[in-house]
Amino acid sequence: LVPLHKYAVNTFTIVGAVLVGTLFSCSFSAYGFARLRAPGRDLIFMTLLATLMLPGAVTLVPTYLLFNAFGWVNTLLPLIVPAFFGNAFFIFLLRQFYMSIPRELEEAATIDGANPFQVWWHIMLPLSKPALATVAVFTFVATYNDFFTPLIYLTDDSRRTIAVALSYFQGSPRVGPQMHLLMAAVALSIIPPLVLFLAAQRYFVRGIVTTGLKG
């Protein structure tokens, strides 16, 4: 039997890495779409948004075959690495927030000798805490509750997450569902996202209200 804390360790390892990857890649990409000029920028952005209409089931088999060719099946990499390549919805959300920030702040930093990366790091990110908190809460909840992806890629029981572990309390045909244990496990599992939401509630609500005011 796998100790219960092992599932928690696996879950928070994945969630932590996905949070870092998502916040970095999406905020960095969004700044480029919002502020930097490049040939075909708007076309690339529209193509990125078009991927939101592509169901995940369509890319499931090719993605699995790709990760299997890399030898990543039954590791945490398939659950972590894609986060470092951005998320179309979060890039759109952050881009809209960046466009609401006055350009004069960036121009003043540029006059002082800051390059685009320094402007993004020292000016845009500190002003984007509400939007970043919104992205962090959405990412945490989605990754923490993800059942299908760990079930597909993690074949070793010791590598699985809390969401998959909860299904074990459904019992077997001989034993039947262990509802008392399932309810206790579910009650414990909702504590981390609840604590995160309460801690980030002020930024989260502000990010939802202010994001997308300027197109």
Side-chain angles (χ1 to χ4, degrees), residues 79-95:
L79 284 74
I80 294 174
V81 172
F84 287 84
F85 291 88
N87 178 290
F89 174 72
F90 294 147
I91 291 175
F92 169 76
L93 187 148
L94 290 170
R95 173 186 177 270

Side-chain angles (χ1 to χ4, degrees), residues 1 6 8 14 32 34 39 61 65 67 71 76 83 108 130 133 137 139-140 146 155-156 170 173 175 182 192 209:
L1 295 178
K6 181 64 176 176
I14 295 170
V61 173
L65 294 176
F67 288 147
L76 302 183
V137 171
T139 301
F140 183 97
D146 187 13
T155 58
D156 189 353
Q170 295 179 359
V175 178
L182 178 60
V209 172

Side-chain angles (χ1 to χ4, degrees), residues 135-159:
V135 172
V137 171
F138 282 151
T139 301
F140 183 97
V141 172
T143 307
Y144 186 83
N145 293 329
D146 187 13
F147 172 81
F148 189 68
T149 308
L151 185 66
I152 292 295
Y153 290 107
L154 303 177
T155 58
D156 189 353
D157 187 41
S158 63
R159 297 179 184 272

Side-chain angles (χ1 to χ4, degrees), residues 129-208:
K129 289 180 181 179
L132 293 175
T134 303
V135 172
V137 171
F138 282 151
T139 301
F140 183 97
V141 172
T143 307
Y144 186 83
N145 293 329
D146 187 13
F147 172 81
F148 189 68
T149 308
L151 185 66
I152 292 295
Y153 290 107
L154 303 177
T155 58
D156 189 353
D157 187 41
S158 63
R159 297 179 184 272
R160 288 184 168 171
T161 61
I162 291 176
V164 179
L166 289 176
S167 66
Y168 298 158
F169 291 98
Q170 295 179 359
S172 61
R174 185 181 63 180
V175 178
Q178 306 175 49
M179 296 304 298
H180 60 298
L181 297 178
L182 178 60
M183 293 298 102
V186 169
L188 290 175
S189 68
I190 66 174
I191 293 176
L194 182 62
V195 170
L196 175 68
F197 179 78
L198 292 176
Q201 183 179 16
R202 179 164 58 93
Y203 291 112
F204 176 74
V205 173
R206 190 190 308 169
I208 291 293

Side-chain angles (χ1 to χ4, degrees), residues 34-35 93-103 105-106 124 127-128 131 210-215:
R35 289 295 197 251
L93 187 148
L94 290 170
R95 173 186 177 270
Q96 297 304 106
F97 190 89
Y98 286 154
M99 293 182 68
S100 67
I101 297 176
R103 287 183 176 271
L105 296 174
E106 299 171 72
M124 303 299 283
L127 294 175
S128 304
T210 57
T211 298
L213 294 181
K214 183 176 180 180

